Amino acid sequence: MINCICHLLLLTMSINQGESLLSHPERFAGFDLGTSGARISVIESDDENQGGHREVYSKAVQWDGDYDDAEAWMNAVKTLLQGASRSLDDLQSVKSICVSGTSASCLMVNRKTQTMTRKPRMYNYDVITSAEKSNLRAAKEAIRLLQKHAPPKHTARATTGSLAKLLTWAMEAPLDDDTEVLCHQSDFISMNLIEESNLVSVKSDWHNCLKLGYDVRGKKWPTWLEKCLKDAGIKNPISGNGVIPLEIVSPGEPMGTVSKKVAQSLGLSEDCVVVGGTTDSNAAFFAAAGTSPAFGTAVTSLGSTLAIKQLSQTYIEDADRGVYSHRFPNFLEPDSESWLVGGASNVGCAILKKLSFNNEELDKLSAEIDPMSDSPFSYYPLTKVGERFPVADANKEPVLEPIPVSRKEYLHGLLQSISDIEREGFEVLTELGASPPSTIWTCGGGSRNSMWNKMRENRIASRFQGSKIMVQKAESTEASYGAALLAAATYQ
């Protein structure tokens, strides 16, 4: 009798455990490594929203160290996964992971040991202006090589780009061709989640490699890049082991499964797949617009600065106007071409703080402004000299006068002027061949101002009269959520 009861109890426990495992739908995790810390988003299929997902967990942590500390990056990812495991009880249902990082943030690692050989240089590291005096000669030689070999107006010519950093490292001290390889921030995390062998294979993605010189149209490393790296004293840059990632995948494309050690220590399934990553701004686009938006869908970020990204059928590029194109992963038709085009201006909401507009005043005055009326005041509201987009002009001066007596009229003129710069940005993209804008999702602090959204919609529509323009506040804007959607996209 006792044996029968024990058998029934064990059977019941087994059934309950099975039901517990089966009760969880497939989940997908996304990480975003930002300037102040890291964030995780875990999503799962949403039966009420056919083909959609809902976020079941999100958490952020501050860096335990400097933002350019690679060890702190990995520690943050582990901490976030451990927190998710405690909150969700089970990470075995996480099918895939995607990591986004800041654009052009990179380091050099030893492919045999995974150890760092050159400290990270982040997204805002300019090889000329950020260089110590002892390294300035090396930086100038790197830029000379870059200008000699990179095509005119190419995105990789930027002094903050990954290629400029790689060349500068090579000029400061010769690279070890046999062991050293460049690793972007998101590549580094993915590599540490996957690798167990004593020979590290660094894999990267279209988005992170754009500023390293990757040919996103031909999906290959171009001949000019090989010549450039050889001119820098690197013997076999794109063959054999190579000093750059040799396997480049689409964002969201499977790269490998998590290692047994990682799976056991963090509670993940050994079948959990790590997919190709992306950059933080592109991940924010996925968060706002999804992974299968229509052509013409755009995302405008109205934070301290103004940034535009738009899905286009046409590839465009013009460094003189701050315009570049990322290849957009098309999960339904992988062989078709889609492009995430855009640029980033130096104007934005930072000027409002500089001019002492507080939140209470902004709310009060915005409610009094008619978004359909024109202000007689026209400004170029930069906080300092220099513009990137819709024209790249390092000497562009701020225009903040005349200052009317009424603070309401001043605010009206400032918001209208920022709206017009956004409109000019869309005009530049269209002139270069991009699809005209249609739906414009808005994120950042400025997106909360409904009057401003209506003003922007009206002013942009006035220049695109053949298109129906709709400006809306985005529901989701976290880059980690966008990365999670990328992790799920391959499995839709």
Side-chain angles (χ1 to χ4, degrees), residues 269-327:
S269 164
E270 291 181 29
D271 294 325
C272 179
V273 173
V274 179
V275 303
T278 185
T279 60
D280 54 350
S281 60
N282 286 349
F285 180 93
F286 293 121
T291 56
S292 302
F295 290 118
T297 302
V299 174
T300 293
S301 174
L302 283 176
S304 297
T305 58
L306 163 73
I308 293 172
K309 285 187 181 290
Q310 178 185 317
L311 189 64
S312 172
Q313 288 179 290
T314 310
Y315 174 93
I316 60 174
E317 184 178 52
D318 188 344
D320 289 344
R321 293 200 267 188
V323 175
Y324 55 89
S325 292
H326 280 285
R327 194 179 189 102

Side-chain angles (χ1 to χ4, degrees), residues 95-288:
K95 191 172 181 67
S96 62
I97 292 172
C98 181
V99 183
S100 80
T102 48
S103 179
S105 294
C106 53
L107 68 159
M108 302 296 293
V109 299
N110 184 312
R111 65 164 46 82
K112 295 179 180 179
T113 63
Q114 292 182 261
T115 55
M116 178 177 64
T117 61
R118 317 268 176 137
K119 185 180 176 182
R121 287 180 172 169
M122 303 303 286
Y123 69 98
N124 58 350
Y125 183 96
D126 186 302
V127 299
I128 297 296
T129 61
S130 302
E132 297 178 1
K133 284 186 179 181
S134 58
N135 292 333
L136 191 56
R137 180 177 294 181
K140 288 181 177 179
E141 177 60 15
I143 296 305
R144 185 191 70 79
L145 291 172
L146 194 56
Q147 293 174 344
K148 175 183 174 182
H149 292 282
K153 301 186 178 183
H154 197 288
T155 305
R157 292 172 71 97
T159 54
T160 55
S162 312
L163 182 53
K165 291 163 187 170
L166 176 61
L167 291 170
T168 302
W169 274 319
M171 293 299 101
E172 289 171 355
L175 295 173
D176 186 336
D177 295 15
D178 293 328
T179 61
E180 285 192 286
V181 58
L182 183 137
C183 211
H184 293 100
Q185 188 178 36
S186 65
D187 304 339
F188 182 78
I189 298 300
S190 298
M191 175 186 74
N192 276 276
L193 291 173
I194 294 171
E195 291 298 338
E196 272 191 313
S197 68
N198 59 4
L199 184 63
V200 176
S201 173
V202 174
K203 300 177 183 179
S204 193
D205 60 87
W206 300 341
H207 293 171
N208 276 293
C209 287
L210 179 69
K211 294 179 182 178
L212 189 54
Y214 187 68
D215 178 358
V216 290
R217 285 177 284 185
K219 292 191 278 189
K220 62 183 180 180
W221 291 112
T223 303
W224 68 259
L225 177 63
E226 185 172 12
K227 291 178 179 177
C228 180
L229 295 177
K230 284 184 176 179
D231 207 358
I234 300 167
K235 292 182 238 176
N236 299 305
I238 309 180
S239 60
N241 288 331
V243 297
I244 57 178
L246 298 184
E247 186 174 345
I248 312 301
V249 303
S250 163
E253 180 181 339
M255 294 196 297
T257 54
V258 297
S259 69
K260 185 175 182 179
K261 179 181 177 182
V262 166
Q264 290 177 347
S265 64
L266 297 175
L268 294 163
S269 164
E270 291 181 29
D271 294 325
C272 179
V273 173
V274 179
V275 303
T278 185
T279 60
D280 54 350
S281 60
N282 286 349
F285 180 93
F286 293 121

Side-chain angles (χ1 to χ4, degrees), residues 32-38 63 66-68 102 122-124 185 280:
D32 175 53
L33 310 183
T35 55
S36 59
W63 293 128
D66 295 328
Y67 80 128
D68 60 352
T102 48
M122 303 303 286
Y123 69 98
N124 58 350
Q185 188 178 36
D280 54 350

